[in-house]
């Protein structure tokens, strides 16, 4: 079983739609969680950290479900500029504190 | 703002050459990482370092070595470049309990 799993997509949504991605992890002792955004041929950039109580940053909401071992990212009112690959990152997924990256979920927002 | 600088955005080398990829961070953080990213495979960890002169193998160290003589600089070395090492190489740095920050990446082609 992979330590961090994401649906690769692509998720094809119209502008203004709400879209959600999940990311599951295998190690219940994992300690910290992040979402990154990666544009085509660019480096990953931190989008937001994921806190136990859930957190929001504008149109983006991140949540952690420790019981079911997944994190989620919700994007409201999608913009064309949200088109990218979204990577989840889990520290401690492999039993060490080295970050483990999911393979990413591709989002395409169309007019 | 965190700055991670990779020495080249694009690099073309020949099979059998020794190749050096340089990475410099300005945050005085201990942890540095080298990844490669290939389509469909996500980010794969090559080597990482927790301190000067310290290095640890990641998931795919074969064919690579690293050097960390100074805290701010982490070098990736391809001892004898091969065509299967054509890839996007990403350097990252990380402070304690903080998310990683990446350099712009180096697109390396081995002919």
């Amino acid at each position: 079983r992979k330590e961090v799993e994401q649906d690769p997509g692509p998720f094809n949504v119209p502008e203004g739609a709400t879209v959600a991605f999940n990311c599951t992890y295998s190690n219940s002792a994992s300690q910290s969680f992040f979402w990154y955004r990666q544009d085509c041929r660019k480096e990953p950039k931190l989008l937001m950290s994921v806190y136990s109580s859930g957190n929001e940053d504008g149109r983006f909401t991140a949540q952690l479900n420790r019981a079911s071992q997944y994190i989620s990212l919700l994007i409201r009112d999608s913009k064309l500029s949200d088109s990218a690959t979204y990577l989840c990152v889990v520290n401690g997924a492999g039993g060490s504190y080295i970050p483990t990256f999911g393979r990413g979920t591709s989002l395409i927002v169309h007019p | 703002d965190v700055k991670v600088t990779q020495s080249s955005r694009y690099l073309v080398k020949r099979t059998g050459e020794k190749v050096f990829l340089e990475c410099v961070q300005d945050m005085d953080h201990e942890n540095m990482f080298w990844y490669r990213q290939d389509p469909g495979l996500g980010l794969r960890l090559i080597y990482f370092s927790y301190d000067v002169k310290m290095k640890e193998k990641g998931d795919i160290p074969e064919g690579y070595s690293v050097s960390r003589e100074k805290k701010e600089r982490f070098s990736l070395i391809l001892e004898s470049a091969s065509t299967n090492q054509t890839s996007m190489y990403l350097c990252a740095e990380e402070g304690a309990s903080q998310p990683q920050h990446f350099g712009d990446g180096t697109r390396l082609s081995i002919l």
Side-chain angles (χ1 to χ4, degrees), chain B residues 22-103:
Chain B
E22 307 285 347
C23 176
V24 177
Q25 52 110 349
D26 67 353
M27 293 297 292
D28 198 36
H29 286 159
E30 278 75 24
N31 303 339
M32 297 188 75
F33 304 77
W34 274 106
Y35 297 89
R36 64 178 283 178
Q37 187 174 33
D38 302 286
L41 296 179
L43 281 161
R44 291 184 290 168
L45 181 63
I46 305 172
Y47 266 97
F48 58 98
S49 170
Y50 296 143
D51 206 346
V52 175
K53 296 193 186 296
M54 178 274 173
K55 59 185 179 184
E56 292 283 347
K57 293 179 180 179
D59 299 319
I60 51 163
E62 296 77 20
Y64 303 94
S65 62
V66 290
S67 171
R68 188 134 183 233
E69 295 296 318
K70 294 185 178 181
K71 194 174 186 181
E72 67 270 19
R73 186 181 296 272
F74 191 34
S75 304
L76 180 69
I77 303 154
L78 284 65
E79 297 292 344
S80 177
S82 62
T83 54
N84 62 13
Q85 292 179 309
T86 291
S87 186
M88 166 80 131
Y89 289 88
L90 288 157
C91 173
E93 66 84 49
E94 178 192 83
S97 303
Q98 295 179 25
Q100 291 188 340
H101 292 91
F102 288 85

Side-chain angles (χ1 to χ4, degrees), chain A residues 32 34 36 38 40-46 49 87 91 96-99 101-103, chain B residues 31 33 35 37 40-43 45 48 50 88 90 94 98-100 102-104 107:
Chain A
S32 52
F34 307 95
Y36 281 71
Q38 186 172 25
C40 188
R41 303 178 73 85
K42 300 273 193 176
E43 77 277 18
K45 292 186 178 177
L46 179 67
S49 303
L87 306 172
N91 277 10
S96 74
Y97 80 90
I98 298 168
F101 285 76
R103 293 191 180 184
Chain B
N31 303 339
F33 304 77
Y35 297 89
Q37 187 174 33
L41 296 179
L43 281 161
L45 181 63
F48 58 98
Y50 296 143
M88 166 80 131
L90 288 157
E94 178 192 83
Q98 295 179 25
Q100 291 188 340
F102 288 85
D104 291 343
R107 289 202 168 271

